[in-house]
Amino acid sequence: MPTKFNPSAVTKDRATGKLKTEHYYMKCQSQDTLFDELNKDSTKPKLKQKIRNELVRRGIKIVRVPINE
């Protein structure tokens, strides 16, 4: 099964009454979204590792830049 970015969400169309399931797979997320989540302090380590694995799968090299304070 593909790696999840967020839990799946079920939404109800108010006009027709039908339910629609939206899945948030890692492979469907944009590169910008992945880098934003990776750089957040509030992102859990398990999700950060999933993001790193996805970026490696795409062939993107991650370079750490130390912050000078």
Side-chain angles (χ1 to χ4, degrees):
M1 179 156 238
T3 308
K4 290 283 187 91
F5 183 69
N6 287 334
S8 297
V10 178
T11 56
K12 184 176 181 179
D13 186 3
R14 296 177 78 182
T16 61
K18 293 183 180 180
L19 296 176
K20 180 183 176 189
T21 304
E22 188 171 357
H23 302 285
Y24 299 100
Y25 295 121
M26 199 66 74
K27 63 183 179 182
C28 299
Q29 302 300 318
S30 69
Q31 184 175 336
D32 293 333
T33 305
L34 293 177
F35 275 116
D36 289 342
E37 284 296 319
L38 186 61
N39 291 327
K40 281 185 185 176
D41 290 334
S42 62
T43 306
K44 294 184 179 181
K46 184 175 183 178
L47 183 60
K48 285 187 177 191
Q49 185 59 46
K50 287 181 180 182
I51 292 170
R52 283 189 213 105
N53 290 341
E54 175 64 22
L55 292 173
V56 167
R57 186 188 73 80
R58 293 183 187 188
I60 299 168
K61 188 168 184 172
I62 302 170
V63 178
R64 291 185 182 206
V65 178
I67 299 173
N68 296 329
E69 291 184 18

